[in-house]
Amino acid sequence: MSVRPLRTLAVAAVLAVAAGCATAPAVEAAGQPRSGGALTWAVETEPITLNPHQYAQAKARLLVWNSFEALLTYDARGALVPWLATGWQVTPDGLRYTLSLRAAVTFTDGTPFDAAAVKANIDKLREPGYAPAVAAVQLRHLKAVEVVDPRTVRLTLTAPDVLILDFLASPQGAQVSPRSLREARNLKAGGVDVVGTGPFVLDRYAPGQELHYRRNPGYDWAPPTATHTGPAHLDEITYRFLKESAVRVGALTSQQVQLIEGVPATDQPLITGNPRLRLSRQLNSGSAYSYYLNVSHAPFDDLRVRQAFREAVDVDTVLASVYRDTATRAWSVVSPSSPLYDKRLEGSYGGDTARANRLLDQAGWATRDADGYRTRAGRRLTVRLVQAAPYVRDRRDVLAQAVQAAVKQNAGIDLKVSLVDQGTAQQAFARNEYEVFDNSRADTDAAAALNLLLHSGGGINRTRINDPQLDRLLEAGQATADPTRRAAGYADLQQRVVADQALALPLYAPADQIAASTAVGGVRFEPTAGVPASAYDLWIAR
């Protein structure tokens, strides 16, 4: 095992400061990296699935990279670099990508990693019913996967698609053992029999309680973004599921755990005031946390009602009440940490209650009932927000209550908030029994999130928008590799989505917080994505 220079960490720290995020004190407080030991990490969210192909929770990303790895990854500058691949070539027409693969890599079940394994993974992702959102969006332009030789695989597309490389660096593009793909008892759910090539092996899962990983002793193919090579420092790591932030913080301050993630503003003084602990924060990439408005039926089929709903919320006041000025206001559906973010939207809308009420009067919601809610033809102006519990993070349930109070007080809108299990939420979405859908995504390239959320064929297009102009903008951005043209196209898209059509109410840019004992070294965020990194670089001081 060898230690790499900390240049990558230094660059990441500079980027984080530039984004306005506090970073951790120097990791030297834990001394030099050492091998051995066991660590316990308390996490906010239990994963819905342990299969990376089914990945949909940003909070589960740090778990994915413990056991699974991708062909490519991003460095701290946002550039794609090889991981399980050693390089790639693309033809001038953008229709053929040829990737060379590392030699001497094995899955933890002993299966060799080679071009046939890559093909097996992509073929599985395209199998009907297995990962329909991935097949419909990330792989929609994929025509064929060809094994050229054991160390070379070729992807042929039907149209140019620069996001194919982002897919190859994403959790959904992580490599699963072909044996697992064939033999796992419940492949979609994942578990101890769904394995990858990563630095840790999942050997125990107690639902509702914890995950336990042990070190993969044969691991020797770390990505260039890591700070060392060879096996992980830690012998083992346990992730305990502690949903309540006060419980997580209490477990850390009482030394039951050595590291936690998800520290709201109300609990941060307990960390920053303790000399044995340190706190670090970083903005996520991808899409901002927003309320997407369902335009397929009343009342949000009326642009005036969508605009009024948005104007009725003073977002700064709402965020301050819930997050105590620690949240970063979102003005677009794209995170401000993304190079695709359009700053022109800042300050251009929101919080004008007089306008909200004029718009509702014009839309025919001019009367009120005894409770103060607006009515039309005897019907109350009611909209339903359905929140799936596994995706609720950052006190988003409390935020919903604050928005609920704001739209009632300022415009007489009845926002019904339901916090339900995932199955109930999916049923509501399938039946079109909702008006508001809340979402954020930590995709490294925000365009991947926009394709899922806003394209007419997007896997989570809960606005149910079918706008040919939006589709053209999304497809053009997916087809060009020119950064200037991409930025201009996605700026036009944000203007149409947010400013012109009021399809969403952006609220805040998600950030992750890590609180750790000063005895823990190697605490990092994933380059560019801004989410906690895997446990590979962590160590415990003697």
Side-chain angles (χ1 to χ4, degrees), residues 161-354:
D161 185 351
V162 297
L163 288 180
I164 194 70
L165 293 177
D166 179 75
F167 161 74
L168 296 176
S170 72
Q172 293 96 335
Q175 297 298 296
V176 175
S177 166
R179 183 184 300 173
S180 294
L181 296 178
R182 295 190 307 267
E183 301 175 7
R185 291 185 298 274
N186 188 340
L187 178 59
K188 281 193 173 185
V192 296
D193 60 346
V194 179
V195 306
T197 61
F200 291 94
V201 178
L202 175 66
D203 61 3
R204 187 174 71 248
Y205 173 36
Q209 299 179 44
E210 65 184 30
L211 290 164
H212 181 269
Y213 293 84
R214 56 178 170 81
R215 177 167 55 188
N216 174 7
Y219 184 77
D220 194 23
W221 40 86
T225 54
T227 61
H228 77 288
T229 59
H233 297 307
L234 296 170
D235 287 329
E236 56 184 298
I237 181 167
T238 301
Y239 293 89
R240 293 178 58 192
F241 308 131
L242 300 179
K243 182 172 178 58
E244 298 300 325
S245 62
V247 176
R248 290 195 301 278
V249 172
L252 180 65
T253 56
S254 64
Q255 302 182 50
Q256 298 175 59
V257 304
Q258 294 81 46
L259 193 151
I260 66 174
E261 58 84 28
V263 187
T266 51
D267 294 325
Q268 289 180 12
L270 297 172
I271 307 300
T272 56
N274 189 327
R276 295 184 293 105
L277 304 174
R278 67 181 186 273
L279 177 71
S280 55
R281 298 181 291 267
Q282 191 154 321
L283 287 180
N284 297 168
S285 61
S287 61
Y289 179 65
S290 305
Y291 284 180
Y292 293 85
L293 310 183
N294 182 353
V295 302
S296 68
H297 60 244
F300 286 143
D301 57 345
D302 188 326
L303 173 62
R304 295 168 297 185
V305 180
R306 300 198 298 274
Q307 292 171 328
F309 182 83
R310 193 167 65 184
E311 293 297 332
V313 183
D314 183 337
V315 174
D316 289 319
T317 298
V318 166
L319 294 179
S321 70
V322 177
Y323 300 113
R324 296 190 179 181
D325 299 318
T326 62
T328 299
R329 165 80 185 266
W331 289 98
S332 172
V333 292
V334 173
S335 171
S337 66
S338 169
L340 300 180
Y341 176 67
D342 185 5
K343 288 179 64 68
R344 293 177 300 167
L345 289 167
E346 294 180 2
S348 65
Y349 65 87
D352 188 340
T353 58

Side-chain angles (χ1 to χ4, degrees), residues 429-469:
F429 300 144
R431 293 178 175 177
N432 202 13
E433 295 174 346
Y434 68 99
E435 286 72 44
V436 184
F437 169 66
D438 66 328
N439 185 268
S440 67
R441 290 183 58 85
D443 300 277
T444 305
D445 191 320
L450 298 179
N451 277 349
L452 285 164
L453 289 159
L454 295 168
H455 193 279
S456 59
I460 49 175
N461 176 8
R462 307 286 190 218
T463 64
R464 295 182 174 247
I465 188 70
N466 189 350
D467 182 343
Q469 184 171 340

Side-chain angles (χ1 to χ4, degrees), residues 13-203:
V14 169
L15 291 177
V17 171
C21 304
T23 57
V27 298
E28 286 77 4
Q32 292 299 311
R34 61 175 289 266
S35 295
L39 183 144
T40 302
W41 182 334
V43 295
E44 180 179 8
T45 304
E46 181 173 1
I48 296 170
T49 171
L50 297 168
N51 179 339
H53 294 166
Q54 308 294 322
Y55 163 83
Q57 296 164 288
K59 286 284 190 176
R61 190 171 173 124
L62 76 165
L63 304 173
V64 168
W65 299 131
N66 278 343
S67 295
F68 301 95
E69 300 178 299
L71 299 181
L72 309 175
T73 189
Y74 286 91
D75 66 15
R77 297 175 293 108
L80 282 161
V81 293
W83 190 353
L84 292 180
T86 59
W88 68 93
Q89 295 179 328
V90 57
T91 53
D93 61 6
L95 296 180
R96 184 172 294 175
Y97 289 79
T98 302
L99 296 101
S100 54
L101 307 177
R102 283 185 185 241
V105 174
T106 58
F107 293 95
T108 55
D109 62 5
T111 303
F113 166 76
D114 56 15
V118 174
K119 177 174 169 54
N121 274 261
I122 296 177
D123 285 347
K124 188 66 181 181
L125 283 161
R126 301 172 76 193
E127 186 177 291
Y130 176 65
V134 175
V137 178
Q138 287 99 321
L139 298 179
R140 64 180 170 150
H141 292 138
L142 182 63
K143 180 180 180 181
V145 186
E146 176 188 357
V147 174
V148 178
D149 60 48
R151 302 265 69 83
T152 310
V153 65
R154 181 172 296 141
L155 309 182
T156 302
L157 310 182
T158 58
D161 185 351
V162 297
L163 288 180
I164 194 70
L165 293 177
D166 179 75
F167 161 74
L168 296 176
S170 72
Q172 293 96 335
Q175 297 298 296
V176 175
S177 166
R179 183 184 300 173
S180 294
L181 296 178
R182 295 190 307 267
E183 301 175 7
R185 291 185 298 274
N186 188 340
L187 178 59
K188 281 193 173 185
V192 296
D193 60 346
V194 179
V195 306
T197 61
F200 291 94
V201 178
L202 175 66
D203 61 3

